[in-house]
C-alpha cells in the first residue's frame, strides 16, 4: 500500500496532477481502437485526463479481475476504471456489486439520450441499469426498401401487413434460429403488445408467453401466406435476405446494421434505388454501455470521460462510417441545430439511414424470452432448418 | 518373394483397411448414440427411445420421402438420358465431341453446380430475364418498352420448391456426364468394341435401325458392367447434402440436410436424434437401391419380349428426338451457366430484366482473391497430399495384382479373395451415405486424437479420393502391354526394375490424370471437410458454400468460377506435362485413359 501511494505520487508529479483513467475495452477492431485513441487525445487536451485503453481479447477477463480485487479487499484503487459491457457481463458485475452505483444521472450529457422516451437507454437485456452504466452506442433495427417500386414504405406493423397484401411475395423474414429472424419476432411481440409490454421485460412465464404470443400469432398467421414463397420457404440467414433484395425478388427487408446498407450499394450488391428508414412504432435496439467500477480511484475523472463520450461531438465522430459507424445513442429531438449539424455526413449516401429523425427505441426483452419465443414459433409453424 | 513384392502385397491389404476402417468405425460411431449409448453425454443404456422420438416427428415422413424420391427420380432421369444419348450417338463422330464437352462437367463440384443453377433458374436469373424480354418484345412495342423499366422478377417455384424439383434438376445435371462417361469407357474397351461392332454389323444387315440395335444387343451388356457405379450414383443422390441445402425446401428439408442440422445443433443432446436419423438415411439409401433393383428386374422381364418381337425400328424416332433435345437443353443450360456466372462476377448494378449489367468491375474478384489466399493454400496442399498418397497406394496395389497374375501358383486363393474384397471395398465409401459414417468418424477422431485436425481431414478426404484414383488407374494398368514386361524379364530384370524403369515412365500420363482426378475430387469435398475440422480449416468449397448463402451474388459467382478453374488447371497440367517429359507414346496414350476415367 505505501509503495503504491509512492508510485502515484511520482506519476502525479510527472503529469502535473493529471488523473489516469484505465479504460478496459475489447481491442479486436482497428476502427474501435482508433476511435478510443482519438477520445484519449481529446480528454487529455480538454480535461487534462490521461486515458489509457487496455485492449481486451475477452471482456469477461476484466470482470474477473475486478472480482478478484474485491475478494482481495482492494476497494479503492482498482486497476479497471471504465469498462465497455452489456448483457451477461453487466448482469454478472451488477450481481456481484462490482459497479459504481447511481452515477449516470449526474452526467449532463446523459439527458440528451432522452431516457424517459427511450427505455433501451436504461435497460440492458431486460435488466434495469439503475444508473450503473451509461449508454455508449447502439445497433437498431432498420428497414430498407426499393424506391423504384415502392413509393411509401410501411411505417408500422399494421402498415407492413397492408404492404404485404399490396406486394404479395415481396417480403419475408429469416427463420428464428437466425439472429435477425428472432429480432423480428421480438420487435413484433413488443409492438403488438403495447399494453402488456412490461411482461417482456421480466423473466418469461407460461402465462406471459401465452398472452404475448396471442397477438403475435394472429399477426403472423395473416402475414405468412403473403410472404416470399407463401412463407413456405423462409431464408436461413440475414445475408440471404439482403441477397434477395439485391436481385430484386424482395422489395422490403430489414437489418440490424444501418451502415451495411449504403456499403452494400457501394459494392453494387444493392440497387441504387434502395432507401433505409426506421419503423415509426419503434425500433428494437441493442445498446452497449460503459460502466465505472466500484473501486475506481478518480471517479470524477472517469465521469468526465463518460460525459465526453456522450457529447454530440464524440457521438458524431463515432457515427462516421469512416471512423467506426456505430450509431449514436443521443435522441435528435434533444439536440440544438448546431449539434445536429455535427452528425451531417460530408456527402450523404442516398441509401443511408436519415439519422436526424428520432424514433422510439425498444429495449431488448429479458434474455429468457429469446429461447421461449423461438421454441413457441417452431412449435406453431413447424421445425424448419 | 522379393522385398518389393512383399511391400506391394501389404499395400493392397492396407488399401482395403484405409477404405473400410473409417467407414465401419464411423458407422459404429453413429449406431451407438442412435440406440442411446453416448458416454460423453453420460448416456449408457441401450434403448429404442431415440428412434421412437425420431419417428414421432411430424415431418419425418416428408423428409424421408423427399430424400428417396429426389434421389431415385434424378438417377433414373440421368441414366435414361445418358443411355438414350449413347443409343443415338454411339457410332457417330459426335460421341467424341460429347465426351470432351461433358468431361469438364465431371469435375464441377456439386456445390458449384447448385449455385450456378441458382443464377440461371431463379426468378431473377438469366432465363426469367430472357422470357421477360421476349414477352415485352412480342407484345406491342412502345408502351411496354417503358414498362420494362419497372418489371419485377416473376414468382415461380424454383428454387426451394417443396417437391424438390430443383434438387432433381441439379442432381440430374451433375449425374448425366458421370453415367455417360462410365458407359463410354466400357464401350471403348478394345475387346468390347470389337464385339459390339460385330453385333452392329450383323443386326444392320438384318434391317435393324442403329438405336434398336443398341437397345436390343448392346445395352444389356453395357448396363451389367456399369451397374455398381450406377448404384453408387443413386446412393449419393439420396444422401447428398450440398444440393438440397442450396436449392431444396426447408419446411421440411431432405433427411440428409436435417441430419447435418441436428448434428450441428448447439444442444448436444440433439446428437442422439441426429445419429438415429443418420441410420434412417442408410435405410433410405438401401430402400432406394432396393427399388432400383426391383425396377431392373421388371424391365428385364418386359425386355424378354422386346428382344424377340422382331421389330426393327423400336425407339428410333423417340430416342433421336429425346437425345437431341437432351443435348440441346444441356448445352443451352451449360452455356447460360457460364455466361451468367461470368457476368455476375464482374457486374456492377444489374437490374432485372436487362440482359447485361450496367457496367463491369474487377472489385468482386479483388475482394475474393485476397480473402481466398488461405483457403486456396489449404485446398491445394490437402489435395496434393491426399491425391499423391492415393496414387502411390493405388499404383502399388495394382502392381501387386499384376505380379500375382504372373506367378499364379502362389497363394492363389488368398489373392483372389483379396481381389474380390478390394473390388467391393472400393465402392464402400461411395455406397454408404457420408452423413451416416462421417459423424461417427469425427466422434472417434475427437475422442482419440483431438488435436490432429489435418490428419482427420486427410483421412476423410482419402476415403473419397482413393476409390476414384484406383478405378481411374486400374483401366490403364490392366491394359498395359504385357510384352514390354516379358522382354524385360527375359533380359533378367527384377520386378522392381521393371516397375521403375518400364512401367512408371510408360504410365506417366495416366498417373498424372489419376492424380489430377484425385485433386479434383478432393477440391469438391464439402461435408468431409466441414465435419472433420469443425470449420477450423477453410477450403475453397467450404468458403463457396458459405458465400452462396451470403449477401453478395457477385462474390458467390467469383467463388463458383474459382471452383471450376482449380480442378481444370489440374487437368490441363496433367494433359500438358507428359508432352514435355516422359513422352514415349505421345499424347495419344493420355487421351484414352482420360476418356475412360470415372
Amino acid at each position: 500500500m505505501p509503495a503504491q501511494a509512492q508510485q502515484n505520487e511520482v506519476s502525479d508529479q510527472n503529469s502535473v496532477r493529471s488523473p489516469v483513467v484505465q479504460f478496459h475495452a475489447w481491442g479486436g477492431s482497428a476502427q474501435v481502437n482508433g476511435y478510443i485513441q482519438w477520445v484519449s487525445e481529446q480528454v487529455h487536451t480538454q480535461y487534462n485526463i490521461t486515458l489509457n485503453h487496455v485492449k481486451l481479447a475477452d471482456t469477461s477477463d476484466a470482470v474477473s479481475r475486478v472480482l478478484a480485487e474485491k475478494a482481495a479487499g482492494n476497494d479503492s484503487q482498482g486497476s479497471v476504471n471504465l469498462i465497455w459491457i452489456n448483457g451477461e457481463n453487466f448482469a454478472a458485475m451488477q450481481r456481484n456489486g462490482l459497479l459504481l452505483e447511481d452515477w449516470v444521472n449526474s452526467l449532463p450529457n446523459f439527458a440528451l439520450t432522452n431516457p424517459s422516451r427511450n427505455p433501451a437507454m436504461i435497460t440492458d437485456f431486460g435488466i434495469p441499469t439503475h444508473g450503473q452504466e451509461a449508454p455508449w452506442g447502439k445497433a437498431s433495427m432498420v428497414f430498407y426498401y426499393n424506391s423504384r417500386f415502392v413509393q411509401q414504405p410501411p411505417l408500422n406493423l399494421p402498415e407492413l401487413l397492408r404492404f404485404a397484401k399490396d406486394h404479395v411475395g415481396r417480403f419475408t423474414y429469416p427463420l428464428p434460429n437466425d439472429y435477425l429472424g428472432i429480432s423480428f419476432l421480438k420487435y413484433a411481440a413488443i409492438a403488438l403488445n403495447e399494453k402488456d409490454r412490461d411482461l417482456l421485460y421480466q423473466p418469461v412465464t407460461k402465462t406471459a408467453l401465452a398472452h404475448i404470443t396471442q397477438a403475435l400469432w394472429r399477426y403472423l398467421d395473416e402475414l405468412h401466406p403473403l410472404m416470399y414463397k407463401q412463407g413456405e420457404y423462409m431464408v436461413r440467414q440475414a445475408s440471404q435476405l439482403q441477397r434477395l433484395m439485391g436481385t430484386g425478388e424482395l422489395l422490403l427487408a430489414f437489418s440490424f446494421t444501418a451502415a451495411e446498407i449504403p456499403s452494400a450499394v457501394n459494392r453494387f450488391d444493392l440497387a441504387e434505388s434502395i432507401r433505409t428508414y426506421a419503423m415509426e412504432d419503434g425500433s428494437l435496439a441493442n445498446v452497449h454501455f460503459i460502466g465505472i467500477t466500484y473501486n475506481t480511484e478518480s471517479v470524477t475523472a472517469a465521469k468526465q470521460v463518460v460525459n465526453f463520450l456522450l457529447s454530440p461531438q464524440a457521438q458524431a465522430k463515432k457515427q462516421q462510417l469512416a471512423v467506426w459507424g456505430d450509431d449514436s445513442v443521443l435522441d435528435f429531438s434533444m439536440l440544438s441545430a448546431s449539434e445536429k449539424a455535427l452528425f451531417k455526413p460530408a456527402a450523404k449516401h442516398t441509401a443511408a439511414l436519415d439519422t436526424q429523425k428520432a424514433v422510439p427505441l425498444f429495449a431488448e426483452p429479458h434474455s429468457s424470452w429469446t429461447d421461449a419465443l423461438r421454441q413457441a414459433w417452431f412449435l406453431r409453424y413447424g421445425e424448419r432448418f | 518373394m522379393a522385398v518389393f513384392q512383399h511391400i506391394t502385397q501389404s499395400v493392397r491389404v492396407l488399401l482395403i483397411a484405409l477404405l473400410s476402417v473409417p467407414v465401419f468405425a464411423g458407422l459404429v460411431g453413429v449406431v451407438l448414440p442412435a440406440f442411446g449409448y453416448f458416454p460423453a453425454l453420460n448416456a449408457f443404456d441401450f434403448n429404442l427411445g431415440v428412434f421412437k422420438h425420431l419417428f414421432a416427428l411430424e415431418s419425418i415422413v416428408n423428409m424421408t420421402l423427399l430424400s428417396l424420391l429426389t434421389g431415385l427420380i434424378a438417377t433414373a432421369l440421368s441414366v435414361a438420358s445418358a443411355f438414350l444419348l449413347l443409343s443415338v450417338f454411339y457410332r457417330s463422330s459426335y460421341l467424341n465431341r460429347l465426351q470432351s464437352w461433358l468431361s469438364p462437367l465431371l469435375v464441377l463440384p456439386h456445390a458449384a453446380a447448385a449455385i450456378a443453377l441458382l443464377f440461371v433458374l431463379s426468378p431473377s436469373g438469366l432465363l426469367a430475364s430472357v422470357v421477360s424480354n421476349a414477352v415485352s418484345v412480342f407484345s406491342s412495342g412502345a408502351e411496354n418498352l417503358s414498362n420494362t423499366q419497372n418489371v419485377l422478377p416473376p414468382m415461380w417455384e424454383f428454387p426451394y420448391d417443396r417437391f424438390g424439383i430443383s434438387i432433381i434438376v441439379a442432381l440430374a445435371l451433375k449425374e448425366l456426364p458421370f453415367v455417360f462417361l462410365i458407359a463410354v469407357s466400357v464401350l471403348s474397351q478394345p475387346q468390347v468394341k470389337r464385339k459390339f461392332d460385330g453385333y452392329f454389323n450383323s443386326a444392320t444387315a438384318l434391317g435393324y435401325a442403329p438405336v434398336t440395335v443398341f437397345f436390343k444387343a448392346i445395352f444389356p451388356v453395357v448396363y451389367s458392367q456399369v451397374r455398381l457405379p450406377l448404384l453408387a450414383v443413386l446412393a449419393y443422390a439420396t444422401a447428398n447434402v450440398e444440393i438440397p441445402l442450396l436449392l431444396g425446401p426447408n419446411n421440411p428439408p431432405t433427411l440428409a440436410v436435417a441430419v447435418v442440422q441436428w448434428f450441428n445443433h448447439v444442444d448436444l443432446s440433439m446428437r442422439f436424434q441426429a445419429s438415429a436419423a443418420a441410420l434412417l438415411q442408410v435405410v433410405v439409401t438401401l430402400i432406394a437401391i432396393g427399388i432400383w433393383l426391383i425396377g431392373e428386374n421388371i424391365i428385364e422381364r418386359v425386355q424378354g419380349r422386346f428382344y424377340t418381337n422382331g421389330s426393327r425400328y423400336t425407339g428410333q424416332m423417340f430416342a433421336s428426338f429425346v437425345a437431341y433435345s437432351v443435348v440441346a437443353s444441356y448445352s443451352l443450360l451449360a452455356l447460360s451457366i457460364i455466361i451468367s456466372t461470368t457476368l455476375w462476377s464482374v457486374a456492377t448494378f444489374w437490374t432485372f430484366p436487362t440482359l447485361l449489367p450496367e457496367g463491369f468491375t474487377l472489385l468482386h474478384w479483388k475482394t475474393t482473391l485476397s480473402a481466398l489466399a488461405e483457403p486456396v493454400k489449404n485446398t491445394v496442399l490437402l489435395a496434393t497430399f491426399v491425391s499423391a498418397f492415393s496414387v502411390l497406394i493405388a499404383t502399388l496395389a495394382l502392381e501387386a495384382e499384376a505380379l500375382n497374375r504372373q506367378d499364379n501358383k502362389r497363394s492363389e486363393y488368398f489373392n483372389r479373395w483379396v481381389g474380390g474384397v478390394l473390388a467391393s471395398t472400393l465402392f464402400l465409401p461411395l455406397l454408404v451415405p457420408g452423413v451416416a459414417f462421417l459423424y461417427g468418424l469425427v466422434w472417434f477422431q475427437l475422442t482419440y486424437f483431438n488435436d490432429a485436425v489435418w490428419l482427420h481431414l486427410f483421412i476423410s478426404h482419402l476415403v473419397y479420393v482413393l476409390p476414384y484414383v484406383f478405378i481411374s488407374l486400374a483401366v490403364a494398368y490392366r491394359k498395359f502391354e504385357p510384352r514390354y514386361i516379358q522382354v524385360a524379364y527375359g533380359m533378367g530384370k527384377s520386378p522392381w526394375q521393371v516397375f521403375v524403369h518400364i512401367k512408371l515412365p510408360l504410365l506417366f500420363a495416366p498417373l498424372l490424370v489419376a492424380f489430377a482426378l484425385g485433386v479434383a475430387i478432393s477440391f469438391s469435398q464439402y461435408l468431409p471437410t466441414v465435419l472433420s475440422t469443425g470449420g477450423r480449416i477453410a477450403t475453397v468449397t467450404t468458403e463457396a458454400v458459405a458465400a452462396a448463402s451470403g449477401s453478395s451474388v457477385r462474390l458467390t459467382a467469383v467463388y463458383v468460377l474459382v471452383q471450376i478453374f482449380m480442378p481444370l488447371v489440374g487437368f490441363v497440367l496433367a494433359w500438358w506435362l507428359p508432352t514435355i517429359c516422359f513422352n514415349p507414346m505421345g499424347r495419344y496414350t493420355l487421351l484414352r485413359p482420360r476418356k475412360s476415367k470415372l
Side-chain angles (χ1 to χ4, degrees):
Chain A
M1 189 69 180
Q4 214 168 7
Q6 242 173 18
Q7 228 176 27
N8 278 350
E9 239 167 75
V10 173
S11 72
D12 277 2
Q13 274 165 9
N14 281 354
S15 53
V16 202
R17 269 176 294 135
S18 148
V20 180
V21 176
Q22 302 289 351
F23 184 9
H24 286 239
W26 177 71
S29 150
Q31 285 178 308
V32 176
N33 297 348
Y35 175 70
I36 296 178
Q37 180 60 37
W38 174 83
V39 170
S40 61
E41 284 158 20
Q42 293 297 311
V43 293
H44 191 72
T45 50
Q46 291 186 28
Y47 310 106
N48 194 24
I49 294 172
T50 308
L51 183 71
N52 183 29
H53 178 193
V54 180
K55 298 186 182 75
L56 300 174
D58 188 340
T59 305
S60 59
D61 293 345
V63 178
S64 31
R65 188 152 178 182
V66 183
L67 194 64
E69 284 174 358
K70 188 173 185 182
N74 176 1
D75 291 335
S76 59
Q77 286 181 321
S79 59
V80 181
N81 305 142
L82 293 181
I83 182 164
W84 180 21
I85 42 174
N86 77 350
E88 276 182 22
N89 284 321
F90 169 68
M93 291 190 86
Q94 194 187 45
R95 207 168 41 239
N96 293 303
L98 303 179
L99 291 168
L100 191 67
E101 282 178 24
D102 201 22
W103 56 275
V104 176
N105 284 313
S106 64
L107 300 180
N109 285 337
F110 178 65
L112 299 179
T113 64
N114 201 358
S116 55
R117 189 160 173 262
N118 299 313
M121 297 300 146
I122 45 172
T123 343
D124 190 343
F125 277 84
I127 300 173
T129 60
H130 295 309
Q132 291 180 310
E133 53 174 7
W136 186 24
K138 68 160 196 268
S140 62
M141 202 188 238
V142 293
F143 279 70
Y144 55 105
Y145 64 101
N146 194 333
S147 65
R148 230 178 73 180
F149 301 95
V150 180
Q151 273 70 47
Q152 189 55 55
L155 296 174
N156 51 46
L157 276 177
E159 280 186 33
L160 177 65
L161 197 58
R162 225 167 301 138
F163 171 90
K165 278 177 192 148
D166 292 346
H167 305 271
V168 175
R170 302 297 176 185
F171 173 78
T172 190
Y173 65 95
L175 288 175
N177 320 43
D178 179 73
Y179 175 61
L180 197 62
I182 189 72
S183 294
F184 179 78
L185 294 185
K186 287 178 191 169
Y187 156 64
I190 299 170
L192 293 169
N193 288 288
E194 212 174 327
K195 279 180 202 152
D196 313 295
R197 204 164 278 171
D198 22 326
L199 284 178
L200 283 156
Y201 293 97
Q202 292 154 16
V204 66
T205 62
K206 249 188 188 164
T207 44
L209 184 68
H211 188 83
I212 291 290
T213 49
Q214 210 175 7
L216 185 62
W217 300 155
R218 209 182 308 125
Y219 185 83
L220 293 181
D221 285 349
E222 226 177 316
L223 180 68
H224 282 182
L226 303 168
M227 295 201 312
Y228 178 70
K229 303 254 174 208
Q230 296 93 48
E232 189 62 37
Y233 177 88
M234 286 170 67
V235 295
R236 289 193 181 92
Q237 286 134 343
S239 49
Q240 245 179 315
L241 200 62
Q242 195 194 311
R243 182 196 192 85
L244 289 173
M245 278 298 279
T247 57
E249 286 171 61
L250 296 182
L251 290 177
L252 179 74
F254 53 98
S255 158
F256 233 104
T257 334
E260 83 180 9
I261 291 148
S263 72
V265 175
N266 289 344
R267 289 193 319 266
F268 313 107
D269 283 329
L270 286 176
E272 276 173 305
S273 50
I274 295 290
R275 300 287 176 270
T276 311
Y277 70 103
M279 284 285 192
E280 282 181 357
D281 53 353
S283 171
L284 189 70
N286 187 320
V287 181
H288 47 96
F289 296 84
I290 304 280
I292 299 179
T293 56
Y294 83 104
N295 57 0
T296 294
E297 198 179 9
S298 37
V299 170
T300 329
K303 278 163 74 175
Q304 256 174 327
V305 173
V306 178
N307 194 49
F308 175 75
L309 290 175
L310 282 171
S311 67
Q313 185 200 6
Q315 289 278 315
K317 176 90 176 174
K318 181 163 64 75
Q319 192 166 302
Q320 280 174 27
L321 283 183
V323 176
W324 178 355
D326 187 41
D327 272 350
S328 165
V329 286
L330 303 185
D331 189 316
F332 283 88
S333 60
M334 307 293 286
L335 300 184
S336 70
S338 63
E339 284 169 339
K340 274 187 201 165
L342 287 172
F343 288 87
K344 276 229 170 77
K348 192 182 174 319
H349 200 292
T350 49
L353 180 70
D354 181 2
T355 48
Q356 309 287 313
K357 266 194 184 160
V359 165
L361 295 178
F362 292 146
E364 282 277 343
H366 189 273
S367 48
S368 58
W369 279 88
T370 308
D371 277 342
L373 277 177
R374 187 188 294 127
Q375 274 168 15
W377 191 94
F378 279 125
L379 211 60
R380 185 169 180 91
Y381 298 110
E383 182 116 11
R384 308 190 187 187
F385 313 97
Chain B
M1 231 196 293
V3 178
F4 178 59
Q5 276 153 296
H6 277 296
I7 293 176
T8 57
Q9 289 301 340
S10 4
V11 166
R12 204 165 171 224
V13 178
L14 174 72
L15 195 154
I16 295 174
L18 278 175
L19 292 179
S20 51
V21 170
V23 175
F24 284 118
L27 278 177
V28 171
V30 293
V31 168
L32 295 181
F35 289 98
Y37 178 86
F38 201 177
L41 293 177
N42 282 326
F44 296 99
D45 25 305
F46 288 87
N47 57 58
L48 289 175
V50 183
F51 282 99
K52 257 183 218 155
H53 191 249
L54 180 71
F55 291 121
L57 288 181
E58 208 180 319
S59 48
I60 193 74
V61 177
N62 230 326
M63 289 194 255
T64 311
L65 280 179
L66 199 59
S67 285
L68 186 70
L69 292 180
T70 51
L72 269 174
I73 294 173
T75 311
L77 270 180
S78 52
V79 169
S81 343
F83 279 107
L84 279 170
L85 276 184
L86 271 180
S87 75
V88 174
F89 295 113
Y90 79 110
R91 286 182 63 87
S92 94
S93 57
Y94 285 112
L95 190 70
N96 281 334
R97 251 182 261 176
L98 272 178
Q99 237 178 305
S100 42
W101 286 348
L102 290 176
S103 296
L105 283 164
L106 199 63
V107 298
L108 178 70
H110 279 80
I115 302 167
L117 266 182
L118 274 179
F119 291 131
V120 177
L121 296 179
S122 73
S124 55
L126 191 69
L127 187 66
S129 306
V130 170
V131 170
S132 168
N133 277 291
V135 166
S136 68
V137 165
F138 281 119
S139 51
S140 56
E143 50 179 335
N144 269 308
L145 267 179
S146 58
N147 271 350
T148 53
Q149 289 302 309
N150 277 319
V151 172
L152 278 169
M155 270 180 270
W156 63 38
E157 285 290 301
F158 192 94
Y160 320 127
D161 65 282
R162 83 184 71 171
F163 300 110
I165 296 166
S166 323
I167 306 174
I168 293 174
V169 171
L171 281 174
L173 178 84
K174 259 304 285 173
E175 288 174 357
L176 172 61
F178 186 80
V179 177
F180 182 81
L181 291 170
I182 306 174
V184 168
S185 80
V186 170
L187 277 174
S188 58
Q189 283 168 20
Q191 323 89 299
V192 180
K193 194 169 167 19
R194 231 171 288 135
K195 193 164 69 182
F196 285 164
D197 282 346
Y199 289 172
F200 182 79
N201 291 337
S202 27
T204 25
L206 292 171
Y208 281 91
V211 170
T212 322
V213 179
F214 182 85
F215 279 113
K216 289 195 172 181
I218 297 173
F219 173 75
V221 184
V222 179
Y223 184 83
S224 63
Q225 289 204 34
V226 297
R227 207 160 152 234
L228 204 52
L230 287 192
L231 292 181
V233 168
L234 178 64
Y236 189 83
T238 52
N240 174 260
V241 171
E242 296 102 299
I243 288 181
L245 186 71
L246 292 167
L247 296 175
N250 63 6
N251 184 27
T254 64
L255 187 62
V257 173
V259 170
V260 174
Q261 306 278 356
W262 286 331
F263 267 116
N264 292 341
H265 205 281
V266 266
D267 181 1
L268 286 180
S269 63
M270 288 299 277
R271 296 261 162 138
F272 292 108
Q273 189 169 315
S275 303
L279 285 191
L280 180 61
Q281 177 65 62
V282 176
V283 174
V284 168
T285 302
L286 285 177
I287 292 176
I289 292 177
I291 293 178
W292 189 268
L293 296 181
I294 293 172
E296 274 178 359
N297 219 308
I298 293 171
I299 288 175
E300 217 168 282
R301 279 187 201 177
V302 178
Q303 266 180 340
R305 293 184 51 193
F306 167 68
Y307 293 139
T308 52
N309 66 3
S311 164
R312 260 76 171 157
Y313 289 95
T314 316
Q316 175 75 24
M317 286 286 285
F318 172 76
S320 313
F321 173 75
V322 174
Y324 279 103
S325 24
V326 166
V327 170
S329 47
Y330 212 88
S331 11
L332 216 65
L333 203 57
L335 202 66
S336 20
I337 281 179
I338 293 166
I339 292 175
S340 56
T341 314
T342 314
L343 284 178
W344 273 116
S345 78
V346 291
T348 59
F349 295 114
W350 192 359
T351 339
F352 184 87
T354 47
L355 293 174
L356 281 177
E358 276 173 36
F360 298 100
T361 171
L362 286 178
L363 177 76
H364 319 304
W365 279 93
K366 282 184 200 151
T367 316
T368 315
L369 290 183
S370 61
L372 264 182
E374 183 71 22
V376 166
K377 197 190 83 194
N378 291 341
T379 312
V380 171
L381 210 64
L382 177 70
T384 311
F385 277 107
V386 171
S387 191
F389 185 72
S390 303
V391 169
L392 181 74
I393 296 283
T395 315
L396 290 176
L398 283 163
E399 180 64 17
E401 185 187 287
L403 292 177
N404 287 337
R405 221 179 296 144
Q406 282 157 28
D407 61 352
N408 41 18
K409 275 170 287 173
R410 208 185 285 249
S411 56
E412 193 188 352
Y413 178 77
F414 174 74
N415 282 327
R416 217 184 267 168
W417 184 80
V418 172
V421 172
L422 181 66
S424 40
T425 317
L426 282 175
F427 286 93
L428 194 61
L430 310 180
L431 285 171
V432 179
V435 285
F437 76 87
L438 283 171
Y439 281 100
L441 185 60
V442 169
W443 180 45
F444 271 105
Q445 288 171 335
L446 292 184
T447 316
Y448 296 107
F449 325 91
N450 191 10
D451 297 321
V453 186
W454 279 94
L455 179 73
H456 304 166
L457 194 56
F458 185 86
I459 288 177
S460 47
H461 274 226
L462 189 68
V463 167
Y464 286 99
V465 171
L466 192 50
Y468 286 100
V469 168
F470 186 92
I471 292 164
S472 154
L473 258 184
V475 176
Y477 222 99
R478 287 171 186 160
K479 262 198 256 173
F480 194 85
E481 178 59 73
R483 271 167 291 188
Y484 289 122
I485 304 161
Q486 285 153 11
V487 170
Y489 280 133
M491 291 170 152
K493 299 293 173 192
S494 71
W496 166 249
Q497 285 169 316
V498 172
F499 177 70
V500 173
H501 296 294
I502 295 176
K503 284 193 181 170
L504 284 189
L506 282 175
L507 287 170
F508 184 59
L511 281 172
L512 272 185
V513 170
F515 176 73
L517 179 68
V519 165
I521 301 286
S522 167
F523 280 173
S524 68
Q525 296 304 315
Y526 170 70
L527 200 62
T529 318
V530 175
L531 290 187
S532 58
T533 67
R536 277 177 286 179
I537 294 173
T539 66
V540 174
T541 295
T542 60
E543 293 293 286
V545 173
S549 49
S551 58
S552 176
V553 183
R554 290 160 180 80
L555 292 186
T556 313
V558 179
Y559 277 105
V560 171
L561 289 177
V562 172
Q563 272 201 301
I564 297 173
F565 282 144
M566 284 183 42
L568 275 186
V569 169
F571 274 99
V572 169
L573 279 181
W575 207 38
W576 174 69
L577 277 181
T579 62
I580 52 168
C581 47
F582 300 119
N583 187 21
M585 291 205 259
R587 251 190 170 166
Y588 181 69
T589 41
L590 181 72
L591 281 171
R592 291 176 59 173
R594 198 172 91 93
K595 280 175 191 167
S596 50
K597 73 177 180 269
L598 250 171

